[in-house]
Amino acid sequence: MTVIVSSKEVLSGLATPIELGTPAIVVNIPSQPDEYVIEGYIDLSPMLTGDEVVIEEFIAVDGTNQNLYIYATFKDAQEEPIIRFNSKIIKSDGKYKVQITQTAGTLRQFPYYFVKLNFGVV
């Protein structure tokens, strides 16, 4: 069986926390008909001195529970502000999610861009 990328979905916009300590969902993909590849970026360049954000990435490896895959905290202005989410193959019921929580400072908007590559067969 030959596997191909049958389609792609671009998920982009501004992640906008509405209050400190409350997660803003960047990407939240429910169960899908087939496996897929996801990758993307979040731009933390809006951060200034006194700002702090937490970025979390979740995957439901068991098909039910979205468990934490990675957790990272960023404080103040970032010298290298682009956060890269490397390509991952997610199973059809993997329920992939990324969220950003601003925990200190002035609320900011964070640009993001993800691409979801959907598999198909020939």
Side-chain angles (χ1 to χ4, degrees), residues 27-32 35-36 38 57-70 88-98:
V27 175
N28 193 14
I29 301 173
S31 293
Q32 300 292 294
E35 289 80 11
Y36 58 92
I38 186 84
E57 188 175 23
F58 299 86
I59 303 171
V61 174
D62 67 359
T64 302
N65 303 295
Q66 284 182 323
N67 289 311
L68 186 62
Y69 172 71
I70 197 164
K88 292 166 198 67
I89 296 175
I90 306 295
K91 64 186 214 155
S92 61
D93 61 357
K95 299 175 184 69
Y96 180 79
K97 179 171 76 172
V98 174

Side-chain angles (χ1 to χ4, degrees), residues 46-103:
M47 292 179 69
L48 298 174
T49 300
D51 292 341
E52 180 177 295
V53 299
V54 172
I55 295 177
E56 298 166 292
E57 188 175 23
F58 299 86
I59 303 171
V61 174
D62 67 359
T64 302
N65 303 295
Q66 284 182 323
N67 289 311
L68 186 62
Y69 172 71
I70 197 164
Y71 173 100
T73 301
F74 301 88
K75 296 179 182 182
D76 300 324
Q78 298 296 300
E79 187 174 315
E80 298 174 349
I82 305 301
I83 306 304
R84 168 96 162 98
F85 294 80
N86 293 321
S87 297
K88 292 166 198 67
I89 296 175
I90 306 295
K91 64 186 214 155
S92 61
D93 61 357
K95 299 175 184 69
Y96 180 79
K97 179 171 76 172
V98 174
Q99 64 187 28
I100 186 169
T101 305
Q102 189 161 352
T103 55

